[in-house]
Amino acid sequence: YEKGTVTFIGSHLDVVPANPETWERDPFKLTIEGDKMYGRGTTDCLGHVAMITDLFIQLAEKKPKLKRKVVAVFIACEENSSIPDVGVEMLLKNGKLDHLKDGPVYWVDSADSQPCLGTASAAMWTLKCKGRLFHSGLPHKGVNSLELAMDAVTHIQKRFYQDFPPHASESEYLFASPSTMKPTLVKGAEGSVNQIPPWTEVQGDIRLTPFYDIAECVKKVEGYITELNKDISVLVSGSRGPCSKYDINIEEGHFKGELEMIWDQEATQGIACKLDSDGHTALREATLSVLGECKPYSITGSLPLVGDMQAAGFDIQVCGYGHSSVYHGDNEYCSLSNMKNALKIFTHILNKFNK
């Protein structure tokens, strides 16, 4: 080899669970029907693993003269973040990937056969809201944690969108949606319908476009919570009636609602791929040559490690050739024709960097 690398990374060997009772086919057996290949992981991400493996088999058989070293890295543990010290994170941490900075790094774990220009940072949160249990016939003596949760989330969302509005660069990168902060799950204390609930938990996520810093965002949200706990009464608008208060002085004492924000796991850093790099140009040219069109896009979904690797000096470009419509879903499939085209696209890229 003269100098440089071309790397395919991001495709992973593990898959999410599947319930055979909700599938029309056995999710743990490859079923081929026409152009469709059904089975858990065909789109995410075993179809990519097989396609890249075939690429290397063909390189081994045909032995073309290569100016650049061609590298593939398959990830052992991407879907399950509860297993420590396993996966591509450890390769990065221990410097095992540093030699790949000398060329484009294609992260092959998106979908729909077009270049993905950007992904979002992601942070998962739980808002714990503490109230005071009491009989609902005497609401002035309770602090309704459910109402507190609803008002707190509304307040926090309003401030979030003030601090992280749509960014000018989102249109350049073709993001379908701006940054968002939203609740997705609610649970509360078990009780009867005539009890003021003493606690409520709301879970949700932040999806932050990569033009904002996720660490700064987390710090901002924690600041909202600190301010609310200092004066929880600012949440009382009167729209819930005269007895819905979060700071009460009654005969039994002084009672006040409390909020606590917990971050359920380490935030994932998003990425805005470098649009002026040789790696990006090669991907666009190859896509146009093979498919006849190039329609890049960005999403506020997230991918692990891509932002961290870009910050460490890698030219990360994101692509994928499964179907986003069946990601993690029942009856998951990929198209054989799409994987064949992916092989052609990667061959086109290798030809460009080995002229």
Side-chain angles (χ1 to χ4, degrees), residues 254-306:
H254 179 209
F255 302 96
K256 181 181 177 182
E258 295 179 11
L259 304 174
E260 180 184 5
M261 181 67 84
I262 296 174
W263 304 98
D264 298 336
Q265 59 190 39
E266 187 176 353
T268 300
Q269 183 66 49
I271 188 173
C273 297
K274 295 178 181 178
L275 305 185
D276 58 352
S277 77
D278 291 340
H280 181 72
T281 300
L283 178 60
R284 293 184 74 128
E285 289 178 353
T287 302
L288 179 61
S289 175
V290 174
L291 301 184
E293 62 178 7
C294 183
K295 295 183 177 180
Y297 67 96
S298 294
I299 58 172
T300 51
S302 60
L303 290 170
L305 210 62
V306 289

Side-chain angles (χ1 to χ4, degrees), residues 16-298:
V16 296
N19 180 3
E21 295 182 0
T22 61
W23 279 58
E24 297 173 4
R25 303 159 187 84
D26 185 350
F28 306 116
K29 178 183 177 181
L30 181 64
T31 301
I32 301 176
E33 297 178 6
D35 190 44
K36 294 182 178 179
M37 298 188 293
Y38 291 90
R40 173 54 85 221
T42 46
T43 268
D44 184 29
C45 195
L46 299 179
H48 292 132
V49 171
M51 180 268 295
I52 294 171
T53 300
D54 190 38
L55 172 65
F56 274 77
I57 290 172
Q58 294 193 38
L59 288 172
E61 290 176 346
K62 297 180 180 179
K63 297 181 174 58
K65 282 191 173 183
L66 299 174
K67 292 183 178 180
R68 292 185 179 226
K69 185 179 293 186
V70 183
V71 180
V73 180
F74 294 140
I75 300 174
C77 182
E78 194 261 7
E79 300 289 5
N80 188 352
S81 60
S82 65
I83 303 175
D85 302 334
V86 175
V88 71
E89 293 90 344
M90 293 304 295
L91 294 178
L92 180 64
K93 180 179 179 181
N94 293 322
K96 302 296 186 181
L97 302 178
D98 287 351
H99 64 291
L100 305 180
K101 294 178 182 179
D102 195 15
V105 178
Y106 295 99
W107 191 278
V108 190
D109 188 21
S110 61
D112 299 330
S113 300
Q114 294 291 339
C116 179
L117 305 182
T119 66
S121 302
M124 311 302 162
W125 52 267
T126 298
L127 180 64
K128 293 188 173 183
C129 306
K130 180 181 177 182
R132 183 177 189 246
L133 175 68
F134 217 82
H135 194 290
S136 65
L138 298 168
H140 63 289
K141 292 195 173 188
V143 175
N144 191 320
S145 67
L146 180 55
E147 292 184 335
L148 173 60
M150 290 189 286
D151 286 335
V153 169
T154 298
H155 177 92
I156 293 166
Q157 283 183 295
K158 181 179 179 180
R159 295 191 62 179
F160 171 87
Y161 289 112
Q162 289 172 344
D163 289 334
F164 302 97
H167 194 282
S169 295
E170 290 166 9
S171 58
E172 177 188 2
Y173 274 78
L174 305 173
F175 271 92
S177 60
S179 302
T180 59
M181 180 179 186
K182 53 203 174 295
T184 55
L185 293 172
V186 180
K187 64 179 180 180
E190 293 187 9
S192 68
V193 72
N194 62 357
Q195 287 181 308
I196 301 294
W199 64 267
T200 300
E201 289 185 4
V202 182
Q203 292 178 284
D205 66 7
I206 292 173
R207 302 285 176 166
L208 197 70
T209 58
F211 316 108
Y212 292 110
D213 182 79
I214 189 64
E216 178 186 346
C217 178
V218 167
K219 187 176 180 180
K220 282 272 190 182
V221 173
E222 290 175 345
Y224 308 157
I225 303 299
T226 299
E227 292 177 18
L228 286 173
N229 280 327
K230 287 181 180 178
D231 185 10
I232 202 74
S233 64
V234 301
L235 295 177
V236 178
S237 64
S239 61
R240 301 191 185 279
C243 296
S244 292
K245 298 179 180 179
Y246 308 132
D247 190 345
I248 57 174
N249 278 297
I250 55 177
E251 183 178 350
E252 292 82 356
H254 179 209
F255 302 96
K256 181 181 177 182
E258 295 179 11
L259 304 174
E260 180 184 5
M261 181 67 84
I262 296 174
W263 304 98
D264 298 336
Q265 59 190 39
E266 187 176 353
T268 300
Q269 183 66 49
I271 188 173
C273 297
K274 295 178 181 178
L275 305 185
D276 58 352
S277 77
D278 291 340
H280 181 72
T281 300
L283 178 60
R284 293 184 74 128
E285 289 178 353
T287 302
L288 179 61
S289 175
V290 174
L291 301 184
E293 62 178 7
C294 183
K295 295 183 177 180
Y297 67 96
S298 294

Side-chain angles (χ1 to χ4, degrees), residues 315-326:
D315 176 22
I316 300 291
Q317 301 294 329
V318 180
C319 57
Y321 302 91
H323 298 280
S324 61
S325 60
V326 294

